[in-house]
């Protein structure tokens, strides 16, 4: 059945509102501006790139500078091949300035609904604001709200418990016994950072053995392999990745980190990207990072692992991921799947929600910034007359 919803009307008094001034939001606004469409970026924090400002100090992009640039402005060569957190922030600031983007900070959008005439969107924002836009691009980010599991007995733990979002560097943990929970890219890199920063003991709680890939092999970045493999059959990529892993990554089973029993691309399709090695392989092989069983609970100030082991670290750092936290924003629109992710992404709006676009809610093997750039161009093309 054809959709009877009135078409969107682009007018100067109804700009396109972009929610979030991270890479995805800024890229979308720049692409819209390049097509002559007025876009206003609404950011709840006081700066662009807020999530990047909150990341740990040693973070660098795991994707190359050349393949991480946003539309209309290249990342300076002086930033190096693997761009640091601070330089990503500098680039985003320069990007907004270069494109003369209309960024309004300190405004949080709390809800969305269709306008009464069905031709646009009404945004409810802090301070009692009500803003009317012809279209909306939601770019609040994949890593929006830290998720800290409600482990049984958590309140009884007498050491320090923090989410990885609150970790900056290893200095406060020098000489300590630290347990890092979660072996995604964040957990792996924090574990290495702690070892190099002087922690007395670092254990890494692993629930599911990860796929580990070299960030670069003989100058060839893993990102390029991810780009080339995206259109290939899953089973074929799984076989190729398994062969490459056996040739390039040592078997760490004896150290407590076995090879995974599912294929790399099969795991990607389930939402788990591989861990890019920035020192974990060497640290585990030398016994400096000790993989252990997953965290099960806390009891009498101790940590209980799933294999029954009781340990007493000084600090537990939970690299347990983030929630998208879109439920409040789009509560009554029926545009989220059971996992809380948008039912449509990029240039295609969800069913029954014309003019509502989402970007940055996937975790692509080909590189997040690259895909945000591609999404921005497609969304701008879909919106512009």
């Amino acid at each position: 059945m054809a959709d009877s919803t009135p078409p969107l009307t682009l007018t100067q008094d109804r700009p396109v509102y972009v929610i979030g001034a991270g890479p995805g939001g800024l890229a979308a606004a720049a692409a819209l501006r390049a097509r002559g469409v007025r876009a206003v970026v609404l950011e709840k924090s006081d700066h662009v790139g807020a999530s990047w400002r909150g990341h740990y100090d040693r973070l660098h992009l795991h994707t190359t500078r050349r393949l991480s640039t946003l539309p209309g402005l290249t990342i300076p060569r002086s930033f190096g091949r693997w761009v640091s957190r601070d330089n990503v922030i500098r680039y985003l600031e320069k990007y907004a300035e270069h494109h003369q983007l209309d960024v309004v900070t300190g405004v949080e959008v709390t809800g969305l609904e269709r306008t009464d005439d069905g031709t646009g969107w009404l945004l409810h924002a802090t301070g009692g604001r009500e803003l009317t836009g012809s279209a909306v691009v939601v770019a609040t980010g994949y890593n929006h709200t830290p998720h800290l599991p409600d482990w049984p007995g958590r309140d009884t733990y007498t050491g320090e418990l923090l989410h990885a979002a609150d970790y900056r560097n290893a200095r406060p943990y020098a000489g300590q016994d630290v347990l890092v929970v979660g072996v995604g890219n964040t957990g792996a890199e924090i574990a290495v950072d702690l070892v190099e920063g002087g922690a007395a003991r670092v254990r890494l709680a692993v629930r599911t053995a990860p796929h580990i890939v070299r960030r670069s092999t003989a100058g060839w970045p893993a990102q390029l392999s991810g780009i080339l493999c995206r259109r290939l059959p899953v089973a074929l990529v799984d076989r190729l990745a398994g062969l490459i892993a056996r040739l390039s990554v040592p078997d760490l089973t004896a150290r407590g980190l076995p090879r995974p029993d599912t294929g790399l691309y099969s795991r990607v399709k389930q939402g788990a990207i591989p861990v890019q090695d920035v020192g974990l392989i060497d640290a585990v092989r030398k016994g400096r990072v000790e993989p252990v069983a997953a965290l099960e609970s806390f009891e009498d100030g101790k940590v209980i692992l799933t294999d029954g082991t009781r340990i007493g670290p000084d600090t537990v750092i939970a690299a347990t991921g983030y929630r998208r936290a879109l439920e409040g924003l789009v509560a009554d629109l029926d545009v989220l799947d059971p996992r809380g992710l948008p039912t449509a992404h990029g240039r295609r709006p969800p069913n029954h929600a014309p003019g509502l676009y989402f970007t940055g809610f996937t975790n692509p093997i080909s590189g997040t910034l690259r895909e945000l750039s591609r999404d921005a161009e497609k969304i701008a093309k879909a919106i512009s007359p």
Side-chain angles (χ1 to χ4, degrees):
M1 181 181 294
D3 190 345
S4 60
T5 304
L8 297 172
T9 303
L10 293 177
T11 63
Q12 285 302 310
D13 62 325
R14 283 191 177 186
V16 175
Y17 281 107
V18 180
I19 306 175
L26 296 178
L32 285 163
R33 190 176 189 280
R35 287 179 170 270
V37 177
R38 183 184 171 213
V40 178
V41 182
L42 303 176
E43 168 57 46
K44 70 176 183 178
S45 75
D46 295 330
H47 307 279
V48 302
S51 63
W52 274 93
R53 296 172 191 274
H55 288 314
Y56 48 93
D57 294 347
R58 72 173 281 154
L59 179 64
H60 286 66
L61 289 178
H62 293 160
T63 54
T64 66
R65 173 184 55 81
R66 187 173 62 84
L67 293 174
S68 301
T69 196
L70 301 180
L73 183 68
T74 59
I75 299 175
R77 182 181 293 271
S78 61
F79 286 2
R81 193 183 198 197
W82 312 105
V83 183
S84 70
R85 178 203 64 181
D86 289 349
N87 279 335
V88 170
I89 294 168
R90 292 187 185 100
Y91 172 63
L92 295 179
E93 291 172 339
K94 181 64 177 177
Y95 190 84
E97 177 187 344
H98 174 81
H99 287 292
Q100 299 180 319
L101 300 182
D102 189 354
V103 180
V104 183
T105 59
V107 176
E108 180 178 7
V109 180
T110 57
L112 294 173
E113 61 179 293
R114 296 285 290 164
T115 55
D116 289 339
D117 62 7
T119 61
W121 288 93
L122 180 65
L123 293 75
H124 299 278
T126 49
R129 298 176 179 87
E130 290 190 346
L131 308 169
T132 304
S134 54
V136 175
V137 180
V138 180
T140 50
Y142 191 83
N143 294 335
H144 185 274
T145 301
H147 170 62
L148 186 64
D150 188 17
W151 288 296
R154 193 178 78 182
D155 293 342
T156 69
Y157 179 54
T158 55
E160 181 183 4
L161 171 63
L162 69 151
H163 190 273
D166 297 315
Y167 177 89
R168 293 296 173 266
N169 55 63
R171 284 193 295 273
Y173 311 101
Q176 286 194 13
D177 180 342
V178 184
L179 174 68
V180 179
V181 182
V183 68
N185 278 294
T186 297
E189 192 155 358
I190 287 176
V192 172
D193 194 47
L194 287 163
V195 165
E196 295 177 353
R201 185 176 190 180
V202 178
R203 284 174 281 202
L204 183 60
V206 179
R207 184 171 297 279
T208 303
H211 285 276
I212 304 175
V213 299
R214 302 285 188 181
R215 186 170 65 174
S216 178
T217 303
W220 179 269
Q223 181 188 8
L224 278 178
S225 297
I227 293 170
L228 294 175
C229 290
R230 288 195 70 188
R231 306 301 179 189
L232 296 178
V234 172
L236 175 60
V237 177
D238 283 348
R239 288 196 295 271
L240 291 173
L243 174 61
I244 293 171
R246 286 191 293 273
L247 293 173
S248 62
V249 178
D251 187 356
L252 301 171
T253 302
R255 290 290 186 179
L257 199 60
R259 295 190 188 279
D261 56 9
T262 55
L264 183 149
Y265 206 28
S266 294
R267 191 81 64 81
V268 169
K269 290 295 186 180
Q270 297 168 1
I273 62 172
V275 172
Q276 293 208 22
D277 179 48
V278 290
L280 181 66
I281 292 173
D282 190 56
V284 171
R285 185 166 50 186
K286 293 179 178 178
R288 302 179 71 194
V289 170
E290 307 168 47
V292 296
L295 194 158
E296 178 73 19
S297 62
F298 295 88
E299 185 178 303
D300 299 329
K302 300 291 185 180
V303 173
I304 313 300
L305 304 180
T306 53
D307 62 1
T309 303
R310 298 170 62 93
I311 60 176
D314 301 306
T315 299
V316 175
I317 300 174
T320 46
Y322 295 77
R323 295 184 296 107
R324 271 34 79 189
L326 290 168
E327 291 80 3
L329 182 64
V330 296
D332 302 320
L333 298 177
D334 192 26
V335 296
L336 302 180
D337 67 17
R339 300 170 297 168
L341 293 170
T343 55
H345 193 270
R347 68 172 175 265
R348 184 170 62 88
N351 293 334
H352 313 300
L356 179 62
Y357 300 88
F358 293 87
T359 183
F361 295 97
T362 61
N363 203 10
I365 194 172
S366 52
T368 298
L369 293 180
R370 177 181 183 270
E371 296 307 319
L372 288 174
S373 297
R374 293 161 65 87
D375 269 358
E377 302 281 11
K378 294 174 183 176
I379 290 171
K381 185 177 180 180
I383 291 176
S384 61

